[in-house]
Amino acid sequence: MGELRGTHVPVLLERCLELLAPALDRGDRTIHVDATLGLAGHAEAVLQRHPRTVLIGLDRDTEALAHARVRLARFADRVHLEHAVYDELPEVLARLGYPAIDGVLFDLGVSSLQLDAPDRGFAYAQDAPLDMRMDQTRGVTAEEVVNTYSHPDLARVLRVYGEEKFAPRIASAILRERERARITSSARLAELVRESIPAPARRTGGHPAKRTFQALRIEVNRELAALETALPAALDKLTVGGRMVVLSYHSLEDRLTKAALTDRVRSKGPVDLPVELPGSGPTFRLLSRGAELPGEAEVAANPRAASVRLRAAERIDPDAERQGRADRERPRRRVRAMHQPGTGSADPGPTGAGTDEEGEGRRR
């Protein structure tokens, strides 16, 4: 395996632990999934804080899994490490015999190992072969994308996944260059991108190749397609009281996360009904208002946390929530006893006033 390449500081570690704790501190055994294990910084902290928790760690990167296995060796009796992409979670759980889970963490994007290893081709600041595969055992490389995609397809990838407004110009430059020679170097690609972007635009927004490299990485690894499947699948596996925490690093990931959570925290019943129908209520509640941003101290200690957006939610019992809400909202009925002569009703007393009773809204 060799020495660990790169440095790893888990992003928003204490906040993640704080959010997950209520879900993992229940019963004799709880199940936590780290869907993006990486170098296992978050996973190690969870295992240390929760001695009755079993960890299932997923990662598509075999090198990361090898390092994580060493790091977590002292917890081996309650750790399952799986070579898998996060959208394969249901299959992994079925194989391991876990029908449900209590916690799940997604720490999205490129890992410290991948970013800091020059031979992986993720970094535009270092010259390396254009690979960018998180799982180097399968899939197409960035070199294949750059040298085989048509102009429309390449421009679409850069525009959609990189939000690059100069996508057509960059795609044209790539096609012209590959007619002369195959593009195999990350440094050469970064240079082509820089030359394609007008000088005024290059002065702001960081490295001019940042968005292109992000787009190619997402395309190569099918990150957004996998995430769109993985988020609802993970939510479905959470027990009541179980919690999900998602760390996103660009707007595309955060939008998918927000959409997946919003779908679960809204009622699906008709809006004009006075009461919520059974089975139509929210199944999750949000644990923060909007996306949480890192504080100045977090960014100072770990610059890679600068762009992170955290969202979290907890599974609830929709029927219990519906009943509780109905109890809170139901007005108290004041029932006045009426004296009706000849019916044998009790004498209302000297004042003629009836008795007041608390109605259906009474709590017992």
Side-chain angles (χ1 to χ4, degrees), residues 118-122 128-145 184-186 213 216-217 220-221:
D119 59 319
R120 302 293 293 270
F122 288 96
L130 276 175
D131 191 322
M132 295 194 193
R133 290 173 300 167
M134 294 177 177
D135 181 355
Q136 292 188 301
T137 67
R138 58 184 174 181
V140 301
T141 64
E143 179 182 333
E144 292 175 78
V145 172
T184 61
S185 157
S186 60
F213 274 63
L216 291 173
R217 188 200 83 218
V220 165
N221 296 288

Side-chain angles (χ1 to χ4, degrees), residues 11 55 76 108 161 213-214 291 317 324:
V11 173
L55 172 80
L108 302 171
Y161 294 158
F213 274 63
Q214 171 186 296
D317 181 342

Side-chain angles (χ1 to χ4, degrees), residues 123-199:
Y124 39 77
Q126 298 173 310
D127 192 17
L130 276 175
D131 191 322
M132 295 194 193
R133 290 173 300 167
M134 294 177 177
D135 181 355
Q136 292 188 301
T137 67
R138 58 184 174 181
V140 301
T141 64
E143 179 182 333
E144 292 175 78
V145 172
V146 165
N147 288 284
T148 63
Y149 275 31
S150 66
H151 184 281
D153 284 343
L154 195 54
R156 173 189 56 79
V157 167
L158 301 184
R159 184 184 68 255
V160 175
Y161 294 158
E163 300 178 292
E164 174 58 76
K165 63 181 179 180
F166 298 108
R169 296 177 60 155
I170 295 170
S172 295
I174 289 172
L175 263 66
R176 286 195 301 269
E177 176 66 15
R178 77 191 197 191
E179 287 177 358
R180 291 191 287 267
R182 187 174 179 87
I183 303 170
T184 61
S185 157
S186 60
R188 180 57 185 142
L189 177 61
E191 183 182 4
L192 283 171
V193 174
R194 183 181 179 281
E195 292 171 351
S196 303
I197 296 177

